[in-house]
Amino acid sequence: MKKFPESFLWGGAIAASQADGAWQEGGKGVDTQDLRYFDTKWDKTRRTENRNINMTSEIFTKALAEKEDEHYPFRFGIDFYHTYKEDLALMEEMNMKIFRTSINWARIFPNGDDAEPNEEGLRFYKDLFMECHNRGMKVFATILHYNIPVHLVNEYGGWKNRKTIEFYVNYVETIAKGFGNLVDYWLPFNEINCSRFNPYNGCCIIKDQEKDYISTIFQCAHHQFVANALAIRKIHELLPGSKVGGMIARFTTYPLTCKPEDVMETILEENYKNYFYTDIMARGKYPSYTDRMFDSLKVAIQKVEGDDELLKANTVDFLAFSYYMSMTTTTDVQQEKASGNLVSGNKNPYLEASEWGWQIDPIGLRISLNQMYDRYQLPLFIAENGIGARDVLEEDGSIHDDYRIAYMREHVKQMKEAVSDGVDLLGYTAWGIVDIISCGTIEMSKRYGVIYVDQDETGHGSKKRYKKDSFSWYKKCIDSNGEDL
Ligand code: BGP
């Protein structure tokens, strides 16, 4: 069995909108995540629903008008904007090699189309990324982790409008010039395959206003593919030798049975959910199955002269993905496609699921790594992995999250198997390394961290940080380069 390479980058990941808070400080504008409303009275079912509520215009208008922040958890997050030095000190204590977070567009350009950038925003990220380097950590920067300035939605329609590409490229150029020398790995988009069903990511496909919902989803995706290619070109121009990756949420999907029809259905579903996106970013062209897939979905998109040449000339240097679970092909894939909800599927009788129904499948990670590496022969990076759970803070300040140690141990073991299979794996950033607001269900109780934050989703609590049992386990894993698990 091979060992992890000495250069392996053990780390942790968060996202600005789920952690920073300070939603109206430092010159920041309002972004789409600031408007996502959470009602503590909602039961879990509704919270799951919340993940799939497409931002209707009423919700948008109401949220813009509302002021009671406690129902808007992304407005305060875990106050990382003010606590990042202490939090990074805890990460340094684990000897983390790399830290992944996202840059908040609305901190750099409050409205997205401003003539000049917000200097306070540039300063914040310079200080944050310098702090990482001072603590021995490389910087893994996500340029867009779903949220865009609300003004771009209201004025232009978000990613539905090709003009948004222009504003995005200006944003990329500004941050590359502002603090690009402090960034070691770039991701222009978080989970570009989720643009489809996360309305808060600036696609803002307002379902009650879309005459052709699915086509709009793929038109937004095309604009993001073009923006991704332009970002790669711009960063390579300004920062020669920089590493720019493409990222998807890896929805690893198994056939319902070994019946050939079910196997074929899964190939189609894997293309639709995953490979369509990585094929375009890594191979630089729409894949051969596009026409048939678009026909079956009744999708038509508009390209502009030169788009295809741009995609071909600007492909990614590495591929990253988030991996949490595996799923089984749904019997009604067409219905699922129409709903735009991908995190569904049939129960796998061989797997346990988390409280939120995500099926725990470490071997699925080895499968995904082999599939992705074999398809593209590009270096890979696991940009997110972890288990969301209701951790309990004991009287003595301890948190006994043996389920998280077991989850991480088994996934690290399968990563090592994949390295032995010959996969070129760059690193692993455990998701939500410090507890943050859940992106899909907007709650705090779905905790991922090895560092506990004493706060609930209305922002109440001491905000104190505590080391969970998994904290010392992960430190041991890092210090032994994945040998002492
Ligand atoms: C991914 C997002 C992250 C994170 C993660 C866990 O899709 O990139 O932002 O949220 O999912 O999901 P959740 O927070 O909904 O449990």
Side-chain angles (χ1 to χ4, degrees):
M1 172 82 86
K2 270 193 194 163
K3 293 180 186 276
F4 287 101
E6 275 316 304
S7 60
F8 194 76
L9 296 167
W10 297 99
I14 62 172
S17 64
Q18 297 171 245
D20 292 4
W23 76 294
Q24 291 192 307
E25 282 183 53
K28 176 182 167 295
V30 180
D31 72 61
T32 45
Q33 288 277 52
D34 294 331
L35 304 185
R36 290 186 66 214
Y37 181 77
F38 174 82
D39 184 326
T40 42
K41 292 187 291 300
W42 286 2
D43 65 22
K44 202 159 65 70
T45 325
R46 280 203 67 190
R47 286 182 199 156
T48 312
E49 265 170 31
N50 184 50
R51 177 181 183 83
N52 301 319
I53 285 181
N54 280 301
M55 232 10 148
T56 59
S57 32
E58 286 71 31
I59 292 180
F60 234 71
T61 318
K62 175 177 180 294
L64 268 175
E66 301 272 343
K67 289 292 168 269
E68 92 281 18
D69 285 0
E70 73 167 24
H71 285 312
Y72 295 87
F74 297 113
R75 297 183 182 183
F76 47 80
I78 57 163
D79 198 29
F80 185 74
Y81 183 82
H82 296 111
T83 66
Y84 72 85
K85 291 195 169 139
E86 294 84 79
D87 292 327
L88 287 170
L90 285 168
M91 295 180 210
E92 181 190 18
E93 212 180 302
M94 288 185 280
N95 296 320
M96 265 179 32
K97 313 295 179 209
I98 191 164
F99 173 64
R100 177 185 175 223
T101 189
S102 62
I103 297 155
N104 195 322
W105 189 345
R107 254 189 220 294
I108 309 299
F109 288 100
N111 299 298
D113 62 358
D114 317 74
E116 296 303 325
N118 167 35
E119 289 305 327
E120 262 193 278
L122 290 169
R123 166 56 48 210
F124 170 67
Y125 286 105
K126 272 182 208 159
D127 294 345
L128 170 61
F129 293 163
M130 267 317 291
E131 188 72 17
C132 293
H133 288 292
N134 294 340
R135 296 182 178 282
M137 283 176 264
K138 291 184 184 296
V139 170
F140 191 1
T142 309
I143 299 174
L144 185 56
H145 199 121
Y146 293 145
N147 55 331
I148 74 170
V150 170
H151 176 69
L152 292 184
V153 179
N154 294 339
E155 189 64 27
Y156 305 93
W159 285 104
K160 287 186 283 194
N161 186 332
R162 198 177 166 95
K163 264 194 87 55
T164 301
I165 297 173
E166 217 177 288
F167 299 130
Y168 176 81
V169 175
N170 181 42
Y171 162 50
V172 172
E173 179 166 3
T174 304
I175 59 176
K177 287 178 177 168
F179 47 76
N181 59 314
L182 298 173
V183 176
D184 300 277
Y185 291 87
W186 297 90
L187 285 178
F189 287 91
N190 174 71
E191 299 184 333
I192 199 167
N193 61 327
C194 287
S195 58
R196 43 181 340 106
F197 66 93
N198 285 340
Y200 41 82
N201 75 332
C203 265
C204 298
I205 300 166
I206 310 288
K207 202 158 187 178
D208 59 356
Q209 291 171 5
E210 295 307 327
K211 65 176 177 26
D212 189 352
Y213 177 59
I214 288 276
S215 266
T216 311
I217 284 177
F218 282 95
Q219 187 64 59
C220 287
H222 179 69
H223 292 157
Q224 293 187 346
F225 290 136
V226 170
N228 189 66
L230 288 169
I232 291 167
R233 187 171 72 180
K234 182 59 73 180
I235 294 170
H236 281 165
E237 242 167 56
L238 295 172
L239 300 155
S242 49
K243 301 179 192 71
V244 191
M247 180 191 172
I248 61 166
R250 186 72 182 86
F251 295 109
T252 305
T253 308
Y254 299 145
L256 201 55
T257 70
C258 53
K259 195 172 145 201
E261 290 86 339
D262 286 343
V263 177
M264 187 61 224
E265 188 52 49
T266 303
I267 289 170
L268 297 178
E269 197 166 326
E270 284 271 60
N271 287 345
Y272 166 71
K273 288 181 172 180
N274 302 292
Y275 294 133
F276 174 73
Y277 299 85
T278 42
D279 284 354
I280 292 171
M281 294 191 293
R283 293 174 174 165
K285 62 186 172 106
Y286 275 70
S288 52
Y289 51 80
T290 302
D291 291 349
R292 185 164 188 175
M293 185 173 92
F294 276 9
D295 288 351
S296 72
L297 292 166
K298 296 186 181 45
V299 163
I301 63 166
Q302 304 300 320
K303 290 183 183 178
V304 159
E305 181 69 28
D307 282 356
D308 288 335
E309 293 70 20
L310 183 82
L311 295 178
K312 189 71 190 149
N314 300 283
T315 56
V316 294
D317 303 319
F318 67 93
L319 281 170
F321 61 94
S322 55
Y323 179 85
Y324 293 96
M325 70 189 104
S326 66
M327 53 192 72
T328 307
T329 303
T330 45
T331 37
D332 184 356
V333 179
Q334 289 308 332
Q335 177 278 326
E336 179 185 74
K337 287 178 180 176
S339 75
N341 171 12
L342 299 175
V343 195
S344 61
N346 289 297
K347 178 101 188 71
N348 183 325
Y350 300 99
L351 298 175
E352 297 300 315
S354 76
E355 189 184 333
W356 280 266
W358 291 11
Q359 296 183 135
I360 300 166
D361 180 9
I363 295 175
L365 178 54
R366 179 184 177 190
I367 292 168
S368 308
L369 285 165
N370 273 280
Q371 287 172 330
M372 294 269 281
Y373 189 64
D374 189 47
R375 193 175 179 107
Y376 304 109
Q377 296 287 300
L378 280 173
L380 300 179
F381 204 115
I382 299 167
E384 296 179 19
N385 174 252
I387 181 168
R390 288 180 203 284
D391 300 330
V392 176
L393 176 60
E394 306 292 347
E395 288 290 307
D396 64 359
S398 61
I399 299 101
H400 304 304
D401 58 339
D402 45 355
Y403 41 84
R404 179 163 296 106
I405 293 172
Y407 180 98
M408 291 177 79
R409 174 186 294 123
E410 292 314 311
H411 283 79
V412 169
K413 280 182 183 171
Q414 293 304 321
M415 284 156 48
K416 206 188 305 182
E417 291 284 355
V419 167
S420 297
D421 297 334
V423 171
D424 177 0
L425 184 57
L426 294 169
Y428 170 84
T429 41
W431 177 252
I433 191 72
V434 55
D435 290 344
I436 53 180
I437 304 288
S438 158
C439 184
T441 57
I442 319 187
E443 56 196 314
M444 191 69 197
S445 38
K446 190 179 185 189
R447 296 170 183 275
Y448 285 88
V450 299
I451 301 164
Y452 183 93
V453 177
D454 179 27
Q455 135 182 2
D456 65 17
E457 40 264 335
T458 60
H460 295 108
S462 72
K463 312 269 195 308
K464 228 166 127 349
R465 272 66 167 154
Y466 294 87
K467 298 173 192 171
K468 303 180 193 176
D469 291 354
S470 52
F471 180 98
S472 48
W473 178 86
Y474 195 37
K475 174 173 169 29
K476 210 161 42 88
C477 171
I478 295 171
D479 289 346
S480 64
N481 197 26
E483 290 304 304
D484 183 358
L485 302 178

